[in-house]
Amino acid sequence: MTTTPRHVLLAGATGLTGGHLLQRLLDDPAAPQVLAPTRRALQAHPRLQNPVGVLSRLVPQLRGTVDAVFCCLGTTIRQAGSREAFRMIDYELPLALGRQALTLGARHYLLISSLGADPTSRVFYNRVKGELEQALQEQGWPQLTIVRPSLLLGRAKPRLGDRLAPLSRILPKRWSGIEASTLASALWRLAQDDEPGLRIIESDALQRLGA
């Protein structure tokens, strides 16, 4: 059964996938009201509420009605500058977002995690992603959707790992690169499915959903 959420909270709206998702939501007249806290102001829109400031301070102060929350937050250790800063963005903030969204009535949390997420991994990045998945499950969400995309494609300024993009396109679907716009479309489709419980969606399934 599908039910379109009427009020959504979107974290990471200035990022690659979050930007595509925001545009998709605002371009669709039937899409919901959007609450999108960001560090820099977004272009004004009648259905967009855009608190601006430091996210760690904004998130606990968010107010309003929320049906579903999209967490498109994410960085790299290189961009963050340290493991501690990376963990703040990729673990602490998504958890704080979940806690606040629950108080606002949200029932569905949709998280962009990563291929290889595993709380027991020796790889720090994968371990943090896995720990976040585990911690969100412990928050007791009626619906929790975790998506695990492979290499994200479509950046205007490619990261070092994006040099593997041509190779990633010929790998098996689970490991092949996925366009951020495709991932955004898949997320919106998943948000309209009211099946309760935990769902973990791997990259090959995301390709199909977002096509």
Side-chain angles (χ1 to χ4, degrees):
M1 184 175 178
T2 60
T3 303
T4 302
R6 303 312 307 155
H7 300 86
V8 303
L9 170 57
L10 170 58
T14 59
L16 179 61
T17 305
H20 281 289
L21 179 57
L22 176 65
Q23 198 62 52
R24 179 167 177 71
L25 295 175
L26 298 182
D27 284 348
D28 183 351
Q33 298 287 324
V34 181
L35 172 60
T38 56
R39 288 182 62 90
R40 62 178 186 273
L42 300 168
Q43 185 174 349
H45 188 281
R47 286 191 286 106
L48 174 65
Q49 183 182 351
N50 178 216
V52 178
V54 179
L55 284 185
S56 59
R57 298 174 185 171
L58 284 179
V59 167
Q61 300 173 8
L62 295 174
R63 297 293 182 268
T65 300
V66 175
D67 301 317
V69 52
F70 296 96
C71 183
C72 302
L73 297 170
T75 187
T76 64
I77 297 173
R78 182 176 183 179
Q79 284 183 319
S82 68
R83 287 190 170 195
E84 291 73 18
F86 170 82
R87 189 175 178 84
M88 175 64 188
I89 296 169
D90 277 60
Y91 181 85
E92 299 295 347
L93 268 177
L95 276 187
L97 184 74
R99 287 192 294 269
Q100 188 64 13
L102 282 169
T103 70
L104 300 179
R107 295 184 53 79
H108 192 179
Y109 192 115
L110 298 100
L111 169 73
I112 299 180
S113 184
S114 176
L115 184 69
D118 182 348
T120 66
S121 176
R122 293 184 179 181
V123 179
F124 179 74
Y125 180 90
N126 291 348
R127 185 167 69 250
V128 171
K129 294 292 188 181
E131 289 173 351
L132 174 59
E133 291 184 6
Q134 195 171 62
L136 284 172
Q137 292 177 53
E138 293 169 359
Q139 284 189 343
W141 282 90
Q143 284 181 269
L144 176 59
T145 299
I146 296 170
V147 303
R148 293 175 175 171
S150 182
L151 179 67
L152 287 177
L153 307 176
R155 292 186 178 89
K157 296 181 179 180
R159 294 175 180 173
L160 180 62
D162 294 349
R163 295 175 183 175
L164 299 175
L167 174 62
S168 76
R169 294 181 188 274
I170 64 173
L171 293 171
K173 283 294 185 181
R174 185 180 177 187
W175 294 281
S176 63
I178 180 171
E179 293 287 343
S181 57
T182 300
L183 176 57
S185 294
L187 282 168
W188 180 228
R189 285 192 65 181
L190 289 163
Q192 296 173 75
D193 188 338
D194 62 1
E195 180 183 351
L198 171 67
R199 293 180 297 180
I200 298 178
I201 316 294
E202 301 290 350
S203 203
D204 52 347
L206 294 170
Q207 294 273 17
R208 295 191 296 271
L209 282 166

